[in-house]
Amino acid sequence: MSIKYILLIATLVISTTYVKAALNPEQPLTEAPPLSLFENWNKPIAPFQIFKHVYYVGTDNLSSVLIDTGKGLILIDSGIDQSATQIKTNIETLDFKITDVKYLLNSHARLDQAGGFSKLKLWSGAKLVASPENAIMLENGAATDFALGNQLPFPAVKADIIIQDGESIHLGRQTFIAHATPGHLPGSTSWTTDIRSNFKSYKMIYADSLFTGGYYLINNKNYPNIVTDIEKTFITLNGIQADIFLANKADRFDMKEKLKKLKAGNKKAFIDQIGLRNYIAKGKADFEKQLQQQQEKLD
């Protein structure tokens, strides 16, 4: 029996077990934000080039990043369901074809990062890549969301490639490495790749959310390891030195301020070697404050 076959069987067993594990009815859920919030984030914005081979094709605050590998395109995240048409139009505005998208990468499987994948996958014929936990939520439209339950469903879509922590996707001149950064969701994934420009290499990261606001951090029956997972995620991200810091919400990497500088002629406006560090520091401070407040309530 081949190693690949053994790994496939193991993944299927893990996935099946996870699917059957219903949310614990004794665990309170976090109140979901209103749909109007996501609709406001979905306002259109003109696509633009972030850096060599890298383009922003998302909405006002829902990131979707396109990378030209020379042998096809890779798209990270898809906004909400209504974002899909905008993203397709933005890709075409940049003189690319939607059918040139070969891989769709996911940060996490919620409405605002994965809602548009069903349409984009159909239009492009691209392969959808996700972590095992994200893949399950993609396929059930977030019905098993540990924090929100089925409060924010999105069109279900099947992942084609299940990727583990440290594994990579290669296309053309680009190799994308998946970094497991759980906490916001068990399957949360951040992606890194190296961008070559003028014989110099720049490490780019597309970081997933570190937000845990409103989550039950202590004795969470749906996600018992949430505290240790998010603490490990801070360590993982602190081990990455990124030159270009992007994230799945535009305001998390100061997209609009950097875009102003870019339009003013600064071609390296998105070079930000402290952006990731600042993002981690803020996420960690917010998390630790929330954890302390919940611990004090139990004392």
Side-chain angles (χ1 to χ4, degrees):
M1 187 180 291
S2 70
I3 293 175
K4 279 189 175 180
Y5 184 76
I6 293 170
L7 290 174
L8 175 61
I9 294 299
T11 300
L12 289 173
V13 169
I14 292 168
S15 298
T16 302
T17 302
Y18 190 87
V19 169
K20 288 181 178 178
L23 297 178
N24 193 313
E26 296 180 4
Q27 176 60 52
L29 297 177
T30 300
E31 184 178 355
L35 286 174
S36 58
L37 175 67
F38 304 105
E39 291 167 350
N40 186 56
W41 286 343
N42 194 50
K43 292 177 182 177
I45 184 172
F48 63 91
Q49 186 170 7
I50 292 173
F51 198 66
K52 190 174 183 180
H53 310 310
V54 184
Y55 304 84
Y56 188 88
V57 294
T59 72
D60 186 70
N61 199 37
L62 299 174
S63 298
S64 187
V65 173
L66 187 75
I67 299 90
D68 178 12
T69 74
K71 296 290 185 180
L73 307 172
I74 290 178
L75 182 71
I76 311 178
D77 280 351
S78 66
I80 61 176
D81 182 37
Q82 296 93 318
S83 305
T85 300
Q86 285 189 56
I87 292 171
K88 179 177 179 290
T89 299
N90 285 344
I91 290 172
E92 292 168 345
T93 298
L94 294 169
D95 291 328
F96 295 114
K97 297 177 181 178
I98 187 66
T99 51
D100 288 335
V101 178
K102 304 304 179 186
Y103 292 108
L104 301 166
L105 309 186
N106 181 223
S107 61
H108 69 259
R110 270 204 181 130
L111 172 81
D112 45 347
Q113 271 70 53
F117 277 136
S118 179
K119 289 178 179 174
L120 290 168
K121 183 182 175 184
L122 177 66
W123 295 334
S124 66
K127 293 181 179 179
L128 178 55
V129 184
S131 67
E133 299 88 350
N134 278 345
I136 293 163
M137 285 184 61
L138 288 168
E139 194 165 355
N140 66 35
T144 54
D145 190 315
F146 86 95
L148 304 179
N150 61 359
Q151 294 179 79
L152 291 176
F154 60 82
V157 60
K158 185 175 178 59
D160 302 286
I161 299 173
I162 308 300
I163 195 163
Q164 305 287 346
D165 181 32
E167 292 184 342
S168 60
I169 291 292
H170 181 79
L171 184 67
R173 59 180 155 249
Q174 298 303 135
T175 297
F176 279 81
I177 300 174
H179 302 269
T181 50
H184 185 66
L185 276 177
S188 289
T189 306
S190 299
W191 297 90
T192 60
T193 190
D194 293 326
I195 307 294
R196 298 283 302 177
S197 178
N198 296 328
F199 305 104
K200 185 175 180 180
S201 182
Y202 297 84
K203 184 170 291 296
M204 183 183 84
I205 187 168
Y206 184 95
D208 197 13
S209 178
L210 301 177
F211 183 70
T212 57
Y215 287 2
Y216 293 87
L217 299 176
I218 300 174
N219 300 324
N220 191 307
K221 296 177 178 63
N222 290 331
Y223 191 178
N225 299 329
I226 184 170
V227 171
T228 55
D229 272 4
I230 192 71
E231 289 173 341
K232 289 177 183 176
T233 286
F234 294 136
I235 294 171
T236 296
L237 291 177
N238 267 318
I240 298 171
Q241 180 56 55
D243 302 297
I244 302 171
F245 164 59
L246 306 177
N248 54 18
K249 294 291 190 304
D251 57 9
R252 289 175 179 158
F253 63 99
D254 298 322
M255 183 266 280
K256 290 182 180 178
E257 287 302 311
K258 291 173 181 174
L259 180 56
K260 288 179 183 177
K261 295 176 182 178
L262 186 69
K263 289 181 176 179
N266 182 355
K267 294 182 179 180
K268 293 186 177 181
F270 281 85
I271 299 294
D272 181 2
Q273 296 175 328
I274 63 170
L276 177 61
R277 293 285 169 269
N278 292 337
Y279 180 61
I280 298 165
K282 183 181 184 306
K284 188 174 183 181
D286 290 346
F287 165 75
E288 290 177 348
K289 179 180 179 181
Q290 182 185 351
L291 181 60
Q292 181 179 354
Q293 288 173 340
Q294 291 187 17
Q295 286 172 333
E296 288 173 351
K297 285 183 180 180
L298 294 176
D299 293 342

